[in-house]
Amino acid sequence: MDIELLEIRDFLAAHHPFDQLPGTALSELPGMLQVRYFRRDSEVSDAGNLENQLYIIRTGAVEVFNADNELLARLGEGDVFGYRASHRPNQIEHRVSALEDTLVYQLAAIDIDKLCEKHTQFAYFFGTVGGDRLRDAISQAAQVAHTQVNLITTPVRDLIKREPITIEPSASIHETAAKMAQERVSSILVIAQGQLAGIVTDRDLRNRVVAEALDVNLPITEIMTFNPTALDENAFAFQAQMHMARHNIHHLPIVRENGVAGMLTATDLTKHQTTSVVYLVSDIYKQRKIERMREVTAKIPDLLVNMAAADATADSVGHVITSITDAITTRLLQLAEIELGPPPVPYVWVAAGSQARNEQTAKSDQDNCMVIDDSYDPKEHGDYFRALAKYVCDGLDSCGYIYCPGEMMAITDRWRQPLKSWKEYFDNWIGQPEPMSLMLTCVFFDMRRVYGDRNLFRELRDHMLEQTRGNRIFLAFMAGNALSHQPPIGFFRNFVLIKGGEHNQTFDLKHNGIVPIVDLARVYSLASGSEAVNTLDRLDVVATGGEVTESGARDLQDALEFICYLRIQHQARQIRNGEAPDNFMSPDALSHFERNHLKDAFSVVRTMQNVLGQRYKM
Amino acid sequence: MSIWKFLFNLQERRNWYLRKMPAGPLRDYYESEFPLPDTEWSQADYLALDFETTGLDKHKDEILSIGYAPIRGRSLRLGESDHYLARPVSAIPESSAVIHGILDDTASGAQPLEEALPRLLKALESKILLAHHAAVEYEFLSNACRKIYGYPFIGPVVDTLALEVRIFRAKDEPIRSGDLRLDKARSRYNLPRYPAHNALIDAIAAGELFLAQAAYRKRSRPLLLKDMTVIT
């Protein structure tokens, strides 16, 4: 086609799904189009036959209705309707009415089919609606070019440099150490019948053999770690990094289907990323002073920027940032126990809110509490635990985890209580729910043990879940709470923006985008009595549990991932510009493509809120 | 309007010229069926047309490029659009090169008007010439035909500028300077702005404007060709 139709080509190139087409196909596209005009308030004169053409809105806006005259979508510049562009599953677009003076380009169905055959990414758009289209958006957003080695997309097998160094379980400690020396490795895998049986590291030889003056002729099975945690060779480097951070290990055996593939060390990973989380977390555990920990947490913004540049998924960013908070908390508790002496009675330090859910980002408050054994005597032990909580909360605060504005912290007496008091709290919240108090305490329905006695934590969590499971009265209150934050989207798919003030013409990605999904997942999860706390995990569990349809749960997962992804990119951009990261996003900062898919995501949230509202008769 | 045009309608003039006109592209055009004035507007075919010229003097200046796109059944067909350059006999004056960006170097590679004109006349067969301020296209085309074939071009014409004037008059609104320019007129109908200017995009722009004007005409009775055309 004529080069002179650049005006039209460029318009198409800027809009999804045409942005998926290569340059040559784009240049031919204008020559396939017809141009039509519809004045405001007139009907697009193809009622009932919209499927014969794809309509691309160049200027103006339209409303799309089904045969029952129900509004399916309101569309604007760059949006498409007609052939295979259905805006709701199983709904035939029957009638279209122009809301404004509207110029449309029409593309014949046969031309679309031809393009779909040749261009898979383009064809994907014309698949099913909602979730699938959103997944398409996420994968597309993740394809943005980047130059640095990407831990997110590099499989572990690509990082393994040599065949695994292995030894039989029958070997002696001495033989094992000799082989490690000969091969110049700091760890060795013990293999029985071709399968991974154990691991031995330099540290084991030091701590379990030399320090204990153990007989080196004993079999290696005496000192090896049995059935060590391992990862499949197809896992991504990033998962390995996470794994090491979570388990605080530096040697990770990599397995493949028919045996052992090799050993991945923390060094292999840190070579690829200097501000790697393994490095940060292991650094934290070495620190004895809070000031040094603050230096580590000061690197979190860099980490976020790096991960954003590497197009990390929001889920992995959440896990990484949270694992640092966990490490700081754990280290602070260890240091406090060194300073104050061992605890007089068992206790457990519990994270609440976003830390519990593994969903922290650059800007996070403290949400934590302490559950103490019922043998706790306030007169005798009160001072100890108060000092312990103060040490940790102050430490977190000086590391940048600011005091929680609602004071949901263990330093507050009310949130540092023996198990029986905690059970009473939950009995009250669940038995006599009140909207106001639920709004404040709902963070405690997201709980995760960070440090301390596992049984205390388990007992409290099980006690709580037993009462929430299927408890319709309590769940109705929680549902009401979950509907208090609405996605910032109007009835006509327009963004509803904050007017005036510091955040004029923006929307709050956290409170109006992420919180509603987190709240929904919490209700589903408490209703089913599931132990899952992370929002994606919760949605995974309930997807098969019947609280919500599987497709609904998947759509919410995709919506959450997409909104969080945008938030991370937004915060990384702010950090790069030397601004403080926040949650307020201007629609102008989004590409047309992102805007459209954010609208899809918000629509999913609103649909699921409506379903929840109906279920609990709100 | 000359006495000639006043006394004889288009069909009569066409038959008059056809008596003596030799065979060739112009005669082929004359022999094609001209849309009739009483046709419902959307039943007729149009050719949205624009020329870039070396200036505005229809006697001295020459056609540099030709762009057009047909309209059929209320829809502008980009697939049948075309755009080509014509080689002028004299050098392109700087004053016009600034506007259309066609330089002597570019134009020298183009076909002479004698070759370009048959292509255009073929495209115009059985169609209504449509342009914004159509007098320019009509007169340049007519002069070119006279020069090359010895006879003028005649045919039904729609002028989107004239239609715009009628709309202002019907509403009894004053016309201010610039109101009738293509871009300004288009903005009143929420049509997109095309920053670039060449014969094809301007022809498309005029064609879209016409679709908008037609959509906005009052529908007390069927809208006929004679309600829209300046020459019928």
Side-chain angles (χ1 to χ4, degrees):
Chain A
M1 188 55 224
D2 229 348
I3 185 115
E4 318 306 336
L5 290 173
L6 268 181
E7 301 267 3
I8 292 156
R9 178 199 191 274
D10 290 351
F11 171 81
L12 295 170
H15 292 90
H16 200 58
F18 305 101
D19 56 351
Q20 296 297 315
L21 293 172
T24 48
L26 266 174
S27 299
E28 287 169 12
L29 202 51
M32 303 175 187
L33 300 178
Q34 295 188 28
V35 187
R36 294 177 68 188
Y37 183 87
F38 302 99
R39 64 178 282 187
R40 175 195 297 267
D41 298 329
S42 71
E43 294 283 309
V44 172
S45 49
D46 307 317
N49 294 313
L50 293 168
E51 282 291 295
N52 298 338
Q53 306 267 347
L54 180 76
Y55 300 76
I56 307 145
I57 300 173
R58 170 70 198 238
T59 53
V62 302
E63 285 178 337
V64 183
F65 299 88
N66 66 10
D68 297 329
N69 233 9
E70 288 168 341
L71 181 66
L72 297 182
R74 191 207 197 204
L75 307 172
E77 186 180 310
D79 289 332
V80 296
F81 59 94
Y83 183 63
R84 283 167 72 177
S86 174
H87 285 83
R88 295 251 194 96
N90 314 320
Q91 294 273 12
I92 291 167
E93 301 183 335
H94 179 76
R95 181 173 79 79
V96 174
S97 175
L99 279 175
E100 295 168 13
D101 290 337
T102 301
L103 190 75
V104 297
Y105 297 141
Q106 265 178 221
L107 189 53
I110 185 166
D111 290 325
I112 295 279
D113 285 344
K114 277 185 207 151
L115 286 167
C116 284
E117 269 167 39
K118 279 192 222 153
H119 310 288
T120 344
Q121 278 289 62
F122 179 77
Y124 203 79
F125 180 84
F126 295 98
T128 41
V129 246
D132 276 351
R133 239 186 249 178
L134 209 53
R135 261 185 285 281
D136 169 35
I138 293 164
S139 72
Q140 209 243 355
Q143 278 169 8
V144 179
H146 46 86
T147 46
Q148 69 187 93
V149 170
N150 190 342
L151 292 181
I152 311 303
T153 53
T154 309
V156 172
R157 60 174 183 273
D158 290 355
L159 296 179
I160 303 172
K161 279 176 234 54
R162 56 190 286 190
E163 285 296 300
I165 309 305
T166 62
I167 198 151
E168 295 284 311
S170 54
S172 69
I173 295 170
H174 171 74
E175 284 165 342
T176 308
K179 181 152 191 189
M180 286 170 71
Q182 186 197 332
E183 298 283 350
R184 296 165 173 272
V185 289
S186 58
S187 62
I188 191 163
L189 295 173
V190 183
I191 304 292
Q193 281 104 43
Q195 295 301 315
L196 179 65
I199 183 173
V200 180
T201 67
D202 274 355
R203 185 187 297 204
D204 297 330
L205 295 173
R206 185 173 69 238
N207 295 353
R208 296 178 188 167
V209 183
V210 181
E212 303 280 325
L214 202 68
D215 180 359
V216 294
N217 294 312
L218 287 170
I220 191 65
T221 45
E222 285 293 311
I223 64 151
M224 77 178 187
T225 304
F226 282 87
N227 300 321
T229 172
L231 210 60
D232 188 85
E233 63 168 356
N234 291 317
F236 292 110
F238 190 72
Q239 289 171 290
Q241 199 175 31
M242 298 288 317
H243 209 80
M244 290 181 178
R246 271 192 219 165
H247 295 92
N248 197 22
I249 54 174
H250 298 86
H251 302 89
L252 182 60
I254 304 301
V255 293
R256 58 167 71 117
E257 208 171 313
N258 50 3
V260 179
M263 178 80 85
L264 191 74
T265 65
T267 333
D268 294 334
L269 289 172
T270 44
K271 268 180 206 154
H272 285 93
Q273 205 179 18
T274 46
T275 32
S276 103
V277 67
V278 178
Y279 169 76
L280 284 181
V281 168
S282 60
D283 223 28
I284 289 164
Y285 286 111
K286 283 183 214 143
Q287 303 311 327
R288 308 204 127 261
K289 292 218 166 70
I290 290 168
E291 298 82 73
R292 299 301 308 278
M293 280 192 242
R294 186 159 52 210
E295 287 168 24
V296 176
T297 54
K299 290 178 191 160
I300 291 178
D302 284 345
L303 178 68
L304 188 90
V305 169
N306 278 3
M307 292 179 68
D311 269 318
T313 64
D315 181 41
S316 39
V317 173
H319 275 94
V320 165
I321 307 270
T322 309
S323 69
I324 294 170
T325 314
D326 284 1
I328 300 254
T329 311
T330 306
R331 187 60 187 157
L332 284 167
L333 282 159
Q334 289 170 343
L335 292 175
E337 286 185 13
I338 291 168
E339 198 172 307
L340 303 168
V345 296
Y347 75 96
V348 61
W349 185 277
V350 177
S354 62
Q355 187 187 355
R357 296 192 308 267
N358 279 308
E359 289 165 12
Q360 288 187 313
T361 60
K363 192 186 168 163
S364 290
D365 300 338
Q366 282 192 42
D367 277 320
N368 50 54
C369 61
M370 201 189 266
V371 182
I372 311 170
D373 190 84
D374 279 337
S375 58
Y376 169 78
D377 175 0
K379 283 190 201 105
E380 210 179 319
H381 310 129
D383 289 346
Y384 176 89
F385 287 108
R386 187 177 306 114
L388 186 74
K390 186 167 164 39
Y391 189 99
V392 178
C393 290
D394 284 354
L396 284 170
D397 184 61
S398 67
C399 285
Y401 300 94
I402 49 172
Y403 276 145
C404 170
E407 298 199 332
M408 302 296 184
M409 301 183 299
I411 199 172
T412 310
D413 290 345
R414 190 163 176 228
W415 311 131
R416 190 180 66 252
Q417 292 289 332
L419 179 62
K420 56 176 186 279
S421 308
W422 275 105
K423 285 182 177 171
E424 279 168 28
Y425 288 167
F426 278 105
D427 290 349
N428 257 318
W429 294 333
I430 298 166
Q432 289 137 15
E434 282 173 60
M436 269 312 286
S437 69
L438 271 187
M439 218 166 76
L440 298 172
T441 55
C442 72
V443 288
F444 286 122
F445 288 90
D446 306 339
M447 283 193 293
R448 186 169 54 84
R449 168 193 166 273
V450 175
Y451 183 84
D453 192 286
R454 283 170 204 279
N455 290 329
L456 274 176
F457 172 74
R458 204 170 292 152
E459 205 179 325
L460 178 60
R461 184 193 58 202
D462 293 350
H463 179 84
M464 182 255 286
L465 289 176
E466 259 166 44
Q467 298 183 66
T468 63
R469 189 182 295 115
N471 182 338
R472 286 193 63 88
I473 295 170
F474 166 73
L475 291 167
F477 276 91
M478 283 303 268
N481 183 50
L483 301 185
S484 61
H485 291 104
Q486 299 276 343
I489 185 163
F491 183 65
F492 290 124
R493 269 175 70 90
N494 49 325
F495 288 123
V496 176
L497 302 178
I498 297 168
K499 297 241 159 45
E502 189 188 346
H503 305 296
N504 192 24
Q505 295 300 313
T506 62
F507 48 77
D508 184 341
L509 274 180
K510 182 181 172 188
H511 286 101
N512 300 114
I514 297 166
V515 168
I517 301 177
V518 168
D519 286 349
L520 283 170
R522 183 185 299 116
V523 177
Y524 301 149
S525 173
L526 293 177
S528 69
S530 151
E531 292 172 12
V533 176
N534 175 267
T535 301
L536 291 182
D537 292 348
R538 279 176 164 169
L539 290 169
D540 256 342
V541 170
V542 297
T544 51
E547 268 307 310
V548 60
T549 63
E550 177 159 6
S551 67
R554 298 290 171 226
D555 285 355
L556 277 178
Q557 287 181 324
D558 290 333
L560 180 69
E561 176 60 34
F562 190 67
I563 297 169
C564 290
Y565 174 87
L566 287 182
R567 170 163 80 155
I568 287 162
Q569 297 293 335
H570 167 72
Q571 294 188 338
R573 195 159 47 228
Q574 288 177 317
I575 292 165
R576 279 198 307 270
N577 296 340
E579 300 161 17
D582 66 25
N583 295 305
F584 296 96
M585 176 152 243
S586 159
D588 296 339
L590 297 168
S591 71
H592 177 83
F593 167 77
E594 289 169 328
R595 269 204 296 275
N596 244 350
H597 286 286
L598 191 56
K599 286 179 182 177
D600 275 356
F602 286 151
S603 301
V604 164
V605 176
R606 199 173 48 196
T607 305
M608 297 308 288
Q609 284 189 332
N610 290 341
V611 172
L612 186 78
Q614 277 158 18
R615 189 176 166 89
Y616 291 102
K617 305 275 188 296
M618 306 300 295
Chain B
M1 194 182 283
S2 67
I3 297 284
W4 169 241
K5 285 180 190 170
F6 179 78
L7 288 177
F8 302 96
N9 71 24
L10 193 59
Q11 298 297 341
E12 288 162 340
R13 279 183 283 143
R14 177 172 85 143
N15 292 337
W16 171 264
Y17 287 126
L18 268 176
R19 286 186 302 119
K20 290 182 185 168
M21 193 184 292
L26 189 60
R27 188 176 177 95
D28 291 345
Y29 164 79
Y30 266 74
E31 282 179 345
S32 76
E33 210 165 304
F34 282 20
L36 295 169
D38 288 328
T39 316
E40 203 269 327
W41 82 273
S42 65
Q43 299 300 310
D45 294 353
Y46 305 79
L47 193 74
L49 176 69
D50 187 66
F51 291 153
E52 301 286 354
T53 58
T54 54
L56 288 176
D57 186 330
K58 60 178 174 179
H59 298 297
K60 282 197 322 219
D61 288 313
E62 297 178 74
I63 297 170
L64 282 174
S65 69
I66 298 165
Y68 52 79
I71 293 175
R72 200 178 315 116
R74 298 164 196 258
S75 121
L76 187 124
R77 318 272 166 155
L78 290 180
E80 296 165 47
S81 66
D82 212 344
H83 186 218
Y84 37 88
L85 299 180
R87 188 168 71 213
V89 179
S90 45
I92 299 170
E94 198 190 322
S95 56
S96 79
V98 177
I99 298 165
H100 48 64
I102 301 170
L103 303 174
D104 285 326
D105 283 353
T106 334
S108 65
Q111 56 195 337
L113 192 60
E114 286 85 342
E115 285 168 35
L117 211 49
R119 199 163 151 192
L120 172 60
L121 287 169
K122 187 86 198 151
L124 274 165
E125 281 181 13
S126 304
K127 293 197 190 70
I128 297 157
L129 191 162
L130 184 159
H132 195 71
H133 194 20
V136 174
E137 276 68 26
Y138 189 81
E139 288 175 349
F140 270 85
L141 177 58
S142 200
N143 273 330
C145 287
R146 260 186 234 281
K147 240 181 263 173
I148 294 165
Y149 305 114
Y151 287 87
F153 172 87
I154 61 167
V157 173
V158 165
D159 184 357
T160 49
L161 186 145
L163 286 175
E164 213 44 29
V165 172
R166 284 191 211 169
I167 289 161
F168 270 91
R169 296 226 171 109
K171 290 192 212 156
D172 205 18
E173 275 179 31
I175 300 172
R176 283 180 303 267
S177 159
D179 274 351
L180 298 176
R181 294 199 16 229
L182 185 56
D183 273 355
K184 191 74 183 289
R186 285 171 58 84
S187 70
R188 287 194 287 274
Y189 296 92
N190 194 31
L191 291 166
R193 220 177 76 75
Y194 297 133
H197 286 284
N198 63 51
L200 178 55
I201 204 74
D202 284 349
I204 291 168
E208 290 172 353
L209 176 61
F210 174 66
L211 291 176
Q213 289 170 329
Y216 262 90
R217 291 296 292 252
K218 292 242 174 1
R219 297 288 172 82
S220 47
R221 59 183 176 82
L223 190 57
L224 304 181
L225 211 49
K226 64 183 174 196
D227 302 324
M228 308 290 281
T229 43
V230 284
I231 300 171
T232 48

